[in-house]
Amino acid sequence: MVCPPCCAPAGIPSQQEVLAQWRDTLMAGTKYAKFAPMHAFQCREGGTLETVVNGKVETTNTYAAGDYILLGTEGERFVLGADKFHERYDAANAQAPEDQALAQQGYKTYRPTGQAWAQQLDEQGIAANFPAGKFMAPWGSEMIIEPGDWLVTTAPVANEVYRIEQNAFRSTYKPA
């Protein structure tokens, strides 16, 4: 379900509610730098993409021509708008991927430049803050959140909050 990020189904916190509740807490914590190179390609047309991690649909996102689809460390695919992609990756120095199958699909390898503040949530944190086990992502779709996952906001702007699955976070971020 994709709807404006300002609204949310009953019992599911909106993006604005999550940002208002967590922004200061996240910014007061540890800042992380993304270190893992990522494979991505620029979309030629629009569509819809389900991000699946460990066999579970994490979220659904629409994309437009010019946006990027990235292949995460856990095999998940996710969408970034061109503006966010260029803020978080060194697009000028893209490399051909070592994997020829990825190259044939149009992927290139990009060095990350982005940083974020993040906090790992346990069962009590999820139960207290996300009793439905989800919240509205910045792109207007429901996003699951489970114990052990990380709640993240980008640095330095801290203008959105999203979830990163615990193994994906561990394999892509380190303290800055």
Side-chain angles (χ1 to χ4, degrees), residues 126-167:
I126 299 291
N129 298 285
F130 306 98
K134 54 180 99 174
F135 64 97
M136 295 305 289
W139 46 90
S141 178
E142 294 177 6
M143 175 170 257
I144 65 167
I145 187 157
E146 299 176 322
D149 291 344
W150 291 77
L151 200 59
V152 180
T153 189
T154 54
V157 293
N159 61 356
E160 63 183 14
V161 177
Y162 51 94
R163 168 252 197 187
I164 299 178
E165 188 272 340
Q166 61 183 324
N167 294 323

Side-chain angles (χ1 to χ4, degrees), residues 108-126:
K108 293 181 181 176
T109 304
Y110 296 88
R111 185 180 61 79
T113 59
Q115 294 189 339
W117 289 285
Q119 181 175 328
Q120 192 171 28
L121 297 178
D122 58 17
E123 286 185 37
Q124 294 81 11
I126 299 291

Side-chain angles (χ1 to χ4, degrees), residues 48-164:
T48 302
L49 177 70
E50 284 187 337
T51 299
V52 179
V53 181
N54 297 327
K56 296 178 189 171
V57 176
E58 176 182 85
T59 191
T60 301
N61 200 344
T62 58
Y63 56 90
D67 289 348
Y68 285 80
I69 294 185
L70 289 82
L71 179 62
T73 59
E74 304 305 302
E76 76 281 14
R77 295 184 316 144
F78 60 97
V79 176
L80 272 182
D83 56 339
K84 289 181 183 179
F85 182 83
H86 291 284
E87 290 172 4
R88 300 175 190 176
Y89 294 91
D90 179 7
N93 294 302
Q95 302 290 316
E98 293 179 14
D99 184 322
Q100 289 306 307
L102 290 176
Q104 289 176 347
Q105 294 174 50
Y107 282 95
K108 293 181 181 176
T109 304
Y110 296 88
R111 185 180 61 79
T113 59
Q115 294 189 339
W117 289 285
Q119 181 175 328
Q120 192 171 28
L121 297 178
D122 58 17
E123 286 185 37
Q124 294 81 11
I126 299 291
N129 298 285
F130 306 98
K134 54 180 99 174
F135 64 97
M136 295 305 289
W139 46 90
S141 178
E142 294 177 6
M143 175 170 257
I144 65 167
I145 187 157
E146 299 176 322
D149 291 344
W150 291 77
L151 200 59
V152 180
T153 189
T154 54
V157 293
N159 61 356
E160 63 183 14
V161 177
Y162 51 94
R163 168 252 197 187
I164 299 178

